[in-house]
């Protein structure tokens, strides 16, 4: 599963498949600069040991915001 990391807030979003690379399921990246975003391929490995949080709108198990 691919994801998009917002490097400003350290929040991980699910990448929306079939769209341009910075689009996410929650649509938050419409308002963000590509300079603040980073695309990666495996959300799970990115979250391991990283000081990031998951977007509550992209991830049902994130538990709020
Ligand atoms: Zn999101």
């Amino acid at each position: 599963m691919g994801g998009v990391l917002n490097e400003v807030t350290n929040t991980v979003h699910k990448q929306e498949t079939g769209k341009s690379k910075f689009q996410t399921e929650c649509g938050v990246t419409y308002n963000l600069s590509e300079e603040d975003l980073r695309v990666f391929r495996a959300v799970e490995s990115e979250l391991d040991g990283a000081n990031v949080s998951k977007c509550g709108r992209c991830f049902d198990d994130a538990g709020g915001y």
Side-chain angles (χ1 to χ4, degrees), residues 3-21:
V4 179
L5 173 67
N6 180 342
E7 294 188 310
V8 177
T9 61
N10 282 330
T11 304
V12 175
H13 302 272
K14 273 186 190 173
Q15 186 178 22
E16 192 168 28
T17 54
K19 300 291 180 62
S20 70
K21 63 178 181 176

Side-chain angles (χ1 to χ4, degrees), residues 43-58:
V43 168
E44 289 79 8
S45 61
E46 182 77 15
L47 291 174
D48 280 347
N51 186 24
V52 298
S53 58
K54 290 191 284 187
C55 171
R57 292 167 68 183
C58 289

